[in-house]
Amino acid sequence: MFQAKAFAPFEKLASELIVHSSEGDDGSHDIAHVLRVFKNAMRIQALEGGDARVIAAAVLLHDCVAVEKNSPMRSKASVLAAEKASAVLAELDWEGDDIAAVAHAIVTHSFSANVPPETLEAKILQDADRLDAIGMIGAGRCFYIGGRMSSALYDPFDPSGSNRELDDKRFVIDHFQTKLFKLADGFQTKAGRALAAERDQRLRDFLAAFMDEI
């Protein structure tokens, strides 16, 4: 059951926006993901500054349009989410500048969109969301998504991809090298980079242990 108090001090905002936060049945982009990203964002904001209300709204609405990882529309997901978020906030009588700030953060948070964040709030959302893609949570989400996509865990004859082209649509652990290990180098804030370094090492330790067992 949804508990607004988990989003303190933005309980009222969460109550207004959470109904729009996610679509579909993707457990890697559900309310638990939204709450983890919120906690990450508030932790970074406490050190870096920025408009916490804008950040909170952007977190709550950053995945409000669901597009599967294997969809040809995947790169457009954040733009579609920003458009929907803008309409939702306009109905709540938000000021135009604040709506634009939230929309920019949502558009630029996406790895697939490849649009650089220009504001501190956008940088914080991007960092907070990407923190959820690395570390132990990142590993868990990676395997979950692989299951949704009917991917194999690994190539049994060349798990590390030493003598083949990496293919993270066929093999889950290929995604560690094709994307996840690249994320830590792209964090926008000092606080985000410090948190990312810790989680990146956990992810690398996890893969090393996984490879040792196979």
Side-chain angles (χ1 to χ4, degrees):
M1 178 172 33
F2 168 65
Q3 296 184 11
K5 64 182 180 181
F7 292 88
F10 295 101
E11 296 95 333
K12 182 176 183 297
L13 183 63
S15 296
E16 293 171 335
L17 299 183
I18 202 67
V19 66
H20 305 287
S21 286
S22 61
E23 295 180 335
D25 62 350
D26 183 355
S28 67
H29 293 93
D30 57 4
I31 183 62
H33 166 70
V34 174
L35 182 55
R36 290 192 303 270
V37 175
F38 176 80
K39 290 177 178 178
N40 291 339
M42 293 299 102
R43 186 175 179 181
I44 296 171
Q45 189 274 337
L47 296 170
E48 301 283 345
D51 188 324
R53 177 172 172 264
V54 166
I55 294 167
V59 168
L60 286 158
L61 297 174
H62 77 282
D63 282 333
C64 64
V65 173
V67 181
E68 288 282 4
K69 289 286 188 182
N70 59 354
S71 169
M73 289 294 292
R74 182 61 189 173
S75 64
K76 305 296 183 184
S78 64
V79 173
L80 296 173
E83 292 173 353
K84 179 178 176 179
S86 296
V88 169
L89 295 176
E91 290 180 359
L92 294 173
D93 296 322
W94 274 51
E95 296 291 333
D97 287 349
D98 289 339
I99 293 175
V102 171
H104 173 70
I106 292 174
V107 168
T108 62
H109 92 274
S110 170
F111 185 89
S112 301
N114 195 29
V115 179
E118 297 179 357
T119 65
L120 178 57
E121 292 78 15
K123 292 175 181 179
I124 289 174
L125 175 61
Q126 187 182 102
D127 282 2
D129 186 61
R130 292 188 182 183
L131 280 172
D132 208 53
I134 55 179
M136 294 297 94
I137 290 293
R141 292 177 72 208
C142 184
F143 284 101
Y144 171 86
I145 293 168
R148 284 178 68 88
M149 301 298 106
S150 300
S151 304
L153 291 180
Y154 58 91
D155 181 341
F157 304 107
D158 187 4
S160 64
S162 300
N163 298 297
R164 63 175 174 81
E165 186 174 348
L166 294 172
D167 185 351
D168 60 0
K169 291 181 173 61
R170 291 183 63 198
F171 307 117
V172 173
I173 66 168
D174 283 14
H175 195 60
F176 284 63
Q177 294 186 65
T178 60
K179 180 179 177 181
L180 301 187
F181 287 159
K182 298 176 181 178
L183 293 179
D185 290 335
F187 276 69
Q188 302 288 330
T189 66
K190 181 178 179 181
R193 285 191 292 273
L195 293 168
E198 294 177 3
R199 296 197 186 190
D200 179 69
Q201 188 58 55
R202 291 175 193 165
L203 195 64
R204 292 175 187 274
D205 291 343
F206 173 88
L207 183 59
F210 182 95
M211 297 296 284
D212 182 65
E213 292 187 9
I214 60 174

